[in-house]
Amino acid sequence: MPRLEHLGVAIRDADAAIALYERLFGYTPYKREVVGEQGVETIFLDAGGAKIELLEAIRPDSPIAGFIEKRGEGLHHLAFEVRDIDATMQRLRDEGFRLLNDEPRRGADEKLIVFVHPKDTGGVLVEFCQRSPLPFEPEYAPFRDGQIAYYLGGQADGPPLVLMHAALGSTELETQRLLPTFDQHFRTIAVDFAAHGRSSAFAEEELTLEFFAEAVPAVLDHLGIARAHVFGFSMGGSSALHFALNYPDRIDRLVVHGMNVQWDEGEVETMADAMAGALGRDVPRWAKRLAETHGTERWQDLVRRMVIFTEALPEHYVPDDELAQITAPTLVSAGDRDRYFRIEHALNLWRTLPDARLAIHPGLDHPIQGVDPGRFAALVTDFLLDQ
Ligand code: CO
């Protein structure tokens, strides 16, 4: 039987709606995500175990803009989770229901979705959704006493592009969203860091940026690739800089987003507290996601190790004179509302690197789910292909 997964509410203005739900219930958003294909930004609230999805149009041709034009703000749809969306679509068609899309579409929150025509459902717009983990399996490169998982895709003869995710993230959670665009231009190699996602735990190793960065040559060697472009988000960007420092002959162009290698104690405390919060009882949805991503038996150990990693970041401060040795053309990218990274870090990195360009994204907070994946990946692609 399908389970009620969330309620969708059409809103005009995200800031106003968030303030309203805070005032009315005390709810604060736990996730924001742009779904470019639907022309919406989605904001998720945890309503005591139930989920509310606020939908704001980001383009005039978005279905939410049309809905608000006709009916104003308000309840937009009910969403029901099913195990097999293809089978559900077939069943609905057989029952004579009209569907608003012929194929499942990518929705927010790693879901495949389909809508049923409201004229066939008593005036209520009904969504069916299925959780969609990566549609393909990783491959593995030997590394130290374990394996690094990576996802290979895109053009077999395209320029290689390595993608690296954030601390406590994974390819599935983060960099996957950018692959549909990158796959059109590059041979994509999306890496799960040591102890993250589908890679081995490397329980005996101390987790450091230098150690994480060593995964890149391991995977490139395994694939017989001499040089690659590298994209890194957050900790992936910091690791990418270390890779560029230690392997200058193996990097073509570098893109780093939402990252830093010059931490002070205060910044580190904010991040370590946020990570340690996953172990408490306050954010059950995040804990569930971490368990799904890194394994039920090992996610808590990973969080503990990453808190230690984070607290040690000031000891791994990379001074300007070292950064100045990175000659690879680099795009430094950052959101101007990033809760963890002061924009001064991005500006300093851009000024210090000998060949850098700068992209600042207005209104963007830290999570990469906040970018429009198609537009963001297109900007990165233009830089990497030097257009
Ligand atoms: Co929905």
Side-chain angles (χ1 to χ4, degrees), residues 141-142 148-150 162 189 191 214-225:
I148 294 292
Y150 63 93
V162 175
I189 306 150
V191 173
E214 286 299 318
V216 182
V219 171
L220 292 181
D221 287 346
H222 187 63
L223 288 167
I225 294 172

Side-chain angles (χ1 to χ4, degrees), residues 95-112:
E95 293 282 346
F97 290 100
R98 286 168 291 174
L99 305 179
L100 295 188
N101 38 299
D102 294 331
E103 296 286 332
R105 287 204 190 133
R106 287 230 156 247
D109 206 24
E110 294 96 31
K111 295 286 196 301
L112 291 171

Side-chain angles (χ1 to χ4, degrees), residues 28 46 56 58 96 146 149 164 189 199 215 231 243 248 253 315 332:
T28 50
D46 189 341
E56 183 191 6
I58 54 170
M164 295 195 279
I189 306 150
S199 289
F231 168 85
F243 172 68
R253 287 181 163 236
E315 297 158 29
V332 177

